[in-house]
Amino acid sequence: MSFKKIVQAVASATLALASNFTAAQENQLNMARGVTELGSEIYDLHMLILWICVVIGLVVFGVMFYSIIFHRKSKGYKPANFHESTKVEIAWTVVPFLILIGMAVPATSTLLEVYNSDDAEIDILVTGYQWKWKYEYLDEDGENISFFSNLSTPQSEIYNTQEKNPNYLLEVDEPVVIPVNTKVRFLLTANDVIHSWWMPELGVKKDAIPGFINEAWTIVPQEGVYRGQCTELCGAYHGFMPVVVHAVSQAEYDEWLSAKRADAEAQVAMASMDLSLDDLMSKGESIYSGQCVACHGANGEGGVGKPIAGSAIVLGDLTKHLGVTTKGVPGTAMQAFGSQLSDVDIAAVVTYQRNAFGNNTGDIVQPSDVVSYKNG
Amino acid sequence: MSTSQTQPAGYEKYHVPESSSLAIRATIGLVGSVFGGGLVLNNMTFGSGDAGAAKWVLTIGLIIFVATLASWFRTTIRENLQGINSGQLKHSYVLGMFWFIFSEVMFFAAFFGALFYVRTLAGPWLAGEGEAGRMNELLWPGFEFTWPPMITPQEAVGGTDVQPIANNGTFTTQGQSMSFAEASAWYAWLPLWNTLILLSSSFTVHVAHTGLLAGNRSKFNLWLGISVALGMIFVALQALEYYEAYAHFGLTLNSGIYGSTFFMLTGFHGFHVFMGMTMLLIQLIRSLKAKHFTASDHFGFEASSWYWHFVDVVWVFLFLFVYIL
Amino acid sequence: MGDHSHGPAKGLSRWLFTTNHKDIGTMYLWFSFAMFILGGAFAMIIRAELFQPGMQLVEPGFFNQMTTLHGLVMVFGAIMPSFVGLANWMIPMMIGAPDMALPRMNNWSFWILPPGFLMLASTLFMEGGAPAFGWTFYAPLSTTYAAPSVTFFIFAIHALGISSIMGSINIIATVMNMRAPGMTYMKMPLFVWTWLITAFLLVAVMPVLAGAVTMMLMDIHFGTSFFSAAGGGDPVLFQHIFWFFGHPEVYIIILPAFGVVSQIIPAFSRKPLFGYASMVYATAAIAFLSFIVWAHHMYTVGMPVAGELFFMYATMLIAVPTGVKVFNWVTTMWQGALSFETPMLFSIGFLVLFTIGGFTGLMLSIAPADFQYHDTYFVVAHFHYVMVAGAVFSMTAAVYYWLPKWTGKMYNESMGKIHFWISFVGFNIAFFPQHFVGLAGMPRRIPDYALQFADFNMMSSIGAFIYGASQILFLYNVVATIVGGKTVSDEKVWDGAEGLEWTVATPAPYHTFEVPPKIDPAHAHS
Ligand code: HEA
Ligand code: HEA
Ligand code: CUA
Ligand SMILES: [Cu+2]
């Protein structure tokens, strides 16, 4: 770190102090107003309390600095000897109390609004996993679509071997898509530890607690991409678990939904097909780099997880490899991917692991192998 | 502010003991015990370390700890017999014991709090009741909440294979409730007997105290002896109940939240009864062997009896909230 | 054993076997400073990693261990023992007692700490690493998903809890039973009052913490399901129990600090403390309220809205008694004859910065706004304002204030003042920008962050290094005073100081008040 950069940092911070408050950009000083009605109500509440505190602070510190400046021994000031007054004690008990009531009123009404998740048109079940989010669109006809949303920032940016992009750590492979001007209810839960789903610009933060469901809601008036993060410490990669919401027009949303449905059907169809090694490898690579890389490393060298390169399980019996992948290893970070990935995906990623990183077994694992493994 | 160093009238010197190795020995014992305990547990659960060595650390730690406490109490008793302790010092002991019991009350409060919370809030939420849980049927379809819960959410959905979400292990279900079920079989219901036993032991300790105050040592010894015996019976019955729970009721530590709260509350209580009983027994031995205690000076006994009453009160709450309601 | 007056024993056994409140106080103070350095070292690792975006120095898992140990060591190792040390030194001298009520137990309370922390620190070298679930150790991250070292963490908490409970029982017994004749409750110095109430809080909540970790232990090793929904328990139950302890805990940290500045501000204002009685009542009110506000740490867990409202209102109320204290301190200074020796500087620093931290606390208490603040650096900024600029500043002030009485030597005043100014500036550079990044959306407990937070984080790290480095000055000043400071022999080191401790010789003899002092009934409190 050069001295110049430090000076720059201090300078830009000072500059930011002088610049306007709302812009969501570098060196933002204040809470974002947010795009939703709720978000801006919270923002107003925040500003209200902030200003009240500032004013009280100015009065208190004003009095204090007055005595610091004028009532100095070094100036020969002689101390008074008063030390008690029930009247003022009562006054400065009652006045703050009244001020607090003034704050409590708007706070209460905003809170009640936050809690009003009735009459939502879309329900999305959001499940936190170490360290990704699963989104499941609950559909009355049971045609749920679901997908995982993983951090898509490459390891090379995190480990400083590549320039960081502007959305560094706030980008995912698949954002959750919602239509604008529609009440969307998020049902939050978790699969392992507690996570917390935060979308600053929508004014939504709620914990995702394993075994329980919490509710949150939003109506987004404005199309756009909104970014947030997991805000409950959830293990080693807590800092790498962004939330990205894509708000689109109703038409775009419908289109996206039907594409998703078609995709799901294609997956089902694929499950009964035989795929080529190349297809499996390329699909497997993308799944590996989305799902496994955080723990097993870009070159299968391991990390939180054991090394894949040269692993006895990966090089050995397929049943064991499928077992670890679908059922996980209880008591470790290795999860049961059987319920998270489709049979095609599992076939692909297992094939990939058996043929990448110098594990040149030449094995091809087909979706049907996964199905028959699962059926015992 | 003016002060003077002249001795006020009627002032007894407060005895400040000279340096003592008791604290260090007690520390070695305590830390050895918990460190050894940690080693033993981790060996049990994670298979780490050497089981034999772990047990040795634990055992030696406990021995040092208990031995130190014994010599600590012996020292204080001796000081009192030598007449070193002023009235003021004795009052310090009274305060110490009072606030110690208060801290014990708060320890139990944590477990009672847990019990109330799961019974009145978390349990119904898991079954989809209330504002906070209304969507929970998505996770635990078919789970209905009763108290005591005769099924865990995990089992309601068909076990860990079907629903791996939020799994923290396999929780089996108890076969039968421990609470008061059939009025016709009241005489075979251990908790009722235990309640009677403990309540009467509180009473007998009180009678012993009156004996002591009246300077009647044999009355004191007799009733104190009865109290200790009642305590022993209680512990024995509690052990029997645990045996029943495991062997016939299918109620274990693994039986979901009911097993958890049941065994932790009654277990810690049982442990406290054991401690209180030991304390009373020691007082009895002191009285029998060494003729300790006079009508006006018997703090060792008094402190033990307070503890005993405290244990008794806790049991009343337990009986109410764990067994009856 | 005899009545003769005697000095300290020689060598190591003086410290191992001592029953003297001053010796024990000294050990607490040095121990807590050692822990402050250790916790500070962890903080420096945190700040170094956060200096720039991207992972540079440590792995994410290790970063979490640093955060966790930093919080635990600072709270349980640095702050709490430091104030217990101060209580040991000062309470008997302030109330005219020969020693603490239960001197042997006093020694035991202290000696549990070093091995307890050794055990906690040793987890760093265990398989799977040290605890990495935050100082709040929420289940199930701290149970099912924790490294095996968690068992030792749990037992370390048990040990520290035992130490704290015994320490506080001792303080309660001392204050209630050992006051010199004529030292009525409403004549006690405010430091004694705040400690009495603190000790009561400790006896009430440490056992609850013990209960929480015991449930964890059972969930981990014996298959209970307190914190697992699958068995009918609830992870949020853990949070309720933890914060029932945890919130009073933060007042355990700050009340003795209130006591300290309530001694120092009048001394350097040369004017009695304004509103003594209301200060006492306010302290009691804060302690009472602290039992019914715990869930303000849990606004986002999805409590029913009625609960949310209750905890919001109750929390906001704490601003009232705390405000009374702030106003009383300011009024004490008003029309005093102020002078600005180092203890006073740190007390004024405390007053300003703690109040700012209190304001952000009030902002956090507003539930709907907390949805945006929660688990961001705004919270981190809040609690460092109240805990570092609050507790640590007041502790620093206390050391400067009473050091001459303890050692009979005067510290170097100009070095003290420099220490204050570097601390003050460094502290604000370190923690003020954290408000900004927090509001702008930076979560806490993350080893790496989005690019828009880069500049302020760099600033914050620089400030942290400055603040940390300024402590070298402090250490040097204290050691230099003890080794070769200028001798003072006035009983009253500070002309404005009031209280029994200033009536004994300087340095304070090994045994004070073996015979109780006479208290002038006409004299008000001190
Ligand atoms: C010394 C420790 C200390 C102290 C004294 C306080 C004091 C307060 N704290 Fe703080 N707090 C912590 C330590 C402390 N806190 C810690 C460690 C955490 C985080 C824990 C974790 O998650 O790791 C925390 C977190 C925390 C939260 C949870 C935030 C979150 O996680 O989302 C909240 C929410 O309500 C809160 C509120 C308050 C309030 C209302 C006060 C009040 O006591 C403040 C009162 C003071 C004033 C208000 C200023 C003076 C008053 C006046 C001048 C009068 C007039 C004023 C008005 C009428 C406005 N604190
Ligand atoms: C009273 C308690 C206390 C104190 C004193 C401090 C002191 C400091 N804390 Fe604190 N902190 C907490 C309590 C405390 N903290 C708690 C409870 C948490 C929450 C943990 C959690 O999330 O679980 C936390 C979390 C926390 C975080 C957030 C971590 C995260 O979310 O990942 C950060 C980040 O900046 C931080 C920084 C600092 C710094 C820079 C100091 C500095 O003030 C420290 C300065 C001290 C020294 C540096 C040591 C003395 C120095 C010397 C003897 C000289 C040698 C040093 C040098 C040459 C540099 N702390
Ligand atoms: Cu998920 Cu933090
Ligand atoms: Cu709090």
Side-chain angles (χ1 to χ4, degrees), chain B residues 154-172:
Chain B
Q154 186 73 79
E155 281 184 318
V157 297
T160 42
D161 289 344
V162 180
Q163 172 70 293
I165 284 184
N167 175 38
N168 188 8
T170 352
F171 302 110
T172 55

Side-chain angles (χ1 to χ4, degrees), chain C residues 403-405 407-411 481-488 506-507:
Chain C
L403 192 63
K405 176 56 70 182
T407 62
K409 311 268 181 62
M410 195 55 175
Y411 63 85
T481 308
I482 295 171
V483 179
K486 219 167 56 213
T487 311
V488 266
T506 303

Side-chain angles (χ1 to χ4, degrees), chain C residues 357-433:
Chain C
F359 286 146
T360 52
L362 186 80
M363 295 172 72
L364 291 166
S365 74
I366 308 290
D370 182 68
F371 287 130
Q372 292 285 38
Y373 310 136
H374 177 65
D375 265 337
T376 67
Y377 262 79
F378 191 75
V379 178
V380 177
H382 157 67
F383 66 71
H384 284 91
Y385 265 77
V386 283
M387 296 210 293
V388 180
V392 179
F393 271 31
S394 110
M395 190 61 217
T396 316
V399 171
Y400 281 116
Y401 183 57
W402 281 302
L403 192 63
K405 176 56 70 182
W406 297 339
T407 62
K409 311 268 181 62
M410 195 55 175
Y411 63 85
N412 180 329
E413 186 64 63
S414 28
M415 201 190 291
K417 284 186 171 141
I418 295 172
H419 172 215
F420 168 74
W421 283 110
I422 301 181
S423 287
F424 186 83
V425 171
F427 171 83
N428 282 294
I429 298 178
F431 293 103
F432 208 76

Side-chain angles (χ1 to χ4, degrees), chain A residues 226-374:
Chain A
Y226 303 103
R227 295 172 198 279
Q229 276 175 277
C230 175
T231 47
E232 181 62 61
L233 177 59
C234 54
Y237 294 94
H238 158 62
F240 303 90
M241 201 176 153
V243 179
V244 179
V245 172
H246 204 160
V248 299
S249 67
Q250 185 67 41
E252 249 178 284
Y253 174 73
D254 292 338
E255 206 175 297
W256 175 83
L257 207 59
S258 48
K260 268 283 169 201
R261 291 232 163 86
D263 220 33
E265 272 161 35
Q267 282 273 343
V268 173
M270 227 196 266
S272 52
M273 292 194 316
D274 269 353
L275 304 172
S276 73
L277 180 61
D278 283 351
D279 282 356
L280 285 166
M281 283 299 279
S282 69
K283 196 169 175 56
E285 186 177 2
S286 78
I287 290 166
Y288 185 86
S289 56
Q291 306 281 339
C292 324
V293 72
C295 302
H296 291 291
N299 300 310
E301 73 276 17
V304 172
K306 286 188 181 163
I308 297 300
S311 149
I313 290 185
V314 174
L315 295 175
D317 185 17
L318 176 64
T319 334
K320 274 217 183 111
H321 191 179
L322 282 173
V324 171
T325 310
T326 54
K327 293 186 180 149
V329 182
T332 73
M334 181 62 202
Q335 305 153 8
F337 284 96
S339 56
Q340 301 182 23
L341 299 174
S342 71
D343 297 340
V344 180
D345 293 347
I346 289 174
V349 75
V350 169
T351 307
Y352 177 72
Q353 287 191 336
R354 294 178 88 81
N355 293 291
F357 322 126
N359 295 345
N360 299 319
T361 58
D363 292 353
I364 299 183
V365 184
Q366 293 293 352
S368 53
D369 297 331
V370 180
V371 175
S372 59
Y373 168 79
K374 279 188 173 169

Side-chain angles (χ1 to χ4, degrees), chain C residues 207-282:
Chain C
V208 175
L209 178 67
V213 290
T214 305
M215 289 178 209
M216 280 171 61
L217 189 77
M218 297 305 288
D219 270 13
I220 294 170
H221 295 294
F222 296 99
T224 55
S225 56
F226 286 105
F227 308 132
S228 168
D234 184 351
V236 175
L237 169 62
F238 174 84
Q239 299 182 25
H240 281 290
I241 303 176
F242 178 84
W243 287 116
F244 185 84
F245 147 79
H247 184 79
E249 169 68 23
V250 309
Y251 294 103
I252 288 165
I253 288 170
I254 207 66
L255 291 185
F258 287 172
V260 167
V261 296
S262 301
Q263 302 302 126
I264 295 178
I265 289 181
F268 295 95
S269 303
R270 294 169 184 79
K271 188 165 159 278
L273 181 68
F274 188 82
Y276 171 87
S278 69
M279 286 299 237
V280 172
Y281 302 140

Side-chain angles (χ1 to χ4, degrees), chain B residues 1-8 11 13-28 30-31 34-39 41-42 44-46 48 65 69 72 75-76 79 82 84 87-93 95-97 99-100 102-104 106-107 109-111 113-115 117-118 121-123 125-126 131-132 140 143 152-155 165-171 253-261 264 268, chain C residues 1-4 6 13 16-19 98-105 107-108 111-112 115-116 119 122 126 143-149 151-152 155 159 162 165 169 172-173 176-179 181 200 203-205 207-208 210-212 214-215 217-234 236-237 240-241 244 302-306 498-500 503 511 513-520 523-524 526:
Chain B
M1 176 159 295
S2 69
T3 62
S4 74
Q5 296 279 324
T6 49
Q7 180 121 353
Y11 173 75
K13 189 172 162 48
Y14 196 90
H15 171 61
V16 177
E18 274 190 73
S19 55
S20 143
S21 66
L22 285 167
I24 292 295
R25 285 192 275 147
T27 300
I28 295 170
L30 180 71
V31 173
V34 293
F35 192 72
L39 291 174
L41 287 176
N42 273 8
M44 181 187 91
T45 307
F46 306 110
S48 61
F65 187 54
L69 286 190
W72 196 318
T75 311
T76 15
E79 282 167 0
Q82 286 167 1
I84 293 174
Q88 195 187 12
L89 181 74
K90 287 178 185 168
H91 190 58
S92 290
Y93 286 138
L95 285 168
M97 192 64 196
W99 289 101
F100 169 64
F102 176 74
S103 79
E104 293 269 44
M106 292 308 291
F107 182 75
F111 288 90
L115 175 69
Y117 179 84
V118 292
L121 297 171
W125 290 343
L126 282 167
E131 182 180 23
W140 311 109
F143 174 66
T152 60
Q154 186 73 79
E155 281 184 318
I165 284 184
N167 175 38
N168 188 8
T170 352
F171 302 110
L253 279 167
N254 289 295
S255 306
I257 194 65
Y258 184 65
S260 312
T261 52
M264 293 308 283
F268 269 116
Chain C
M1 254 161 273
D3 276 355
H4 57 95
H6 48 80
S13 66
L16 287 177
F17 301 152
T18 185
T19 48
D99 204 295
M100 296 292 281
L102 303 160
R104 275 186 297 245
M105 192 170 86
N107 192 29
W108 193 23
W111 275 109
I112 290 175
M119 192 156 93
S122 72
M126 289 180 187
T143 54
T144 321
Y145 294 83
S149 68
T151 311
F152 294 99
F155 283 130
I162 292 172
I165 292 172
I169 289 178
I172 296 179
M176 293 179 78
N177 192 36
M178 306 282 287
R179 280 167 291 125
F200 171 74
V203 183
V205 299
V208 175
T214 305
M215 289 178 209
L217 189 77
M218 297 305 288
D219 270 13
I220 294 170
H221 295 294
F222 296 99
T224 55
S225 56
F226 286 105
F227 308 132
S228 168
D234 184 351
V236 175
L237 169 62
H240 281 290
I241 303 176
F244 185 84
M303 264 181 292
V305 67
E498 290 282 346
L500 284 179
T503 63
H511 292 285
F513 301 127
E514 285 185 283
V515 168
K518 243 226 209 79
I519 313 267
D520 177 1
H523 197 284
S526 48

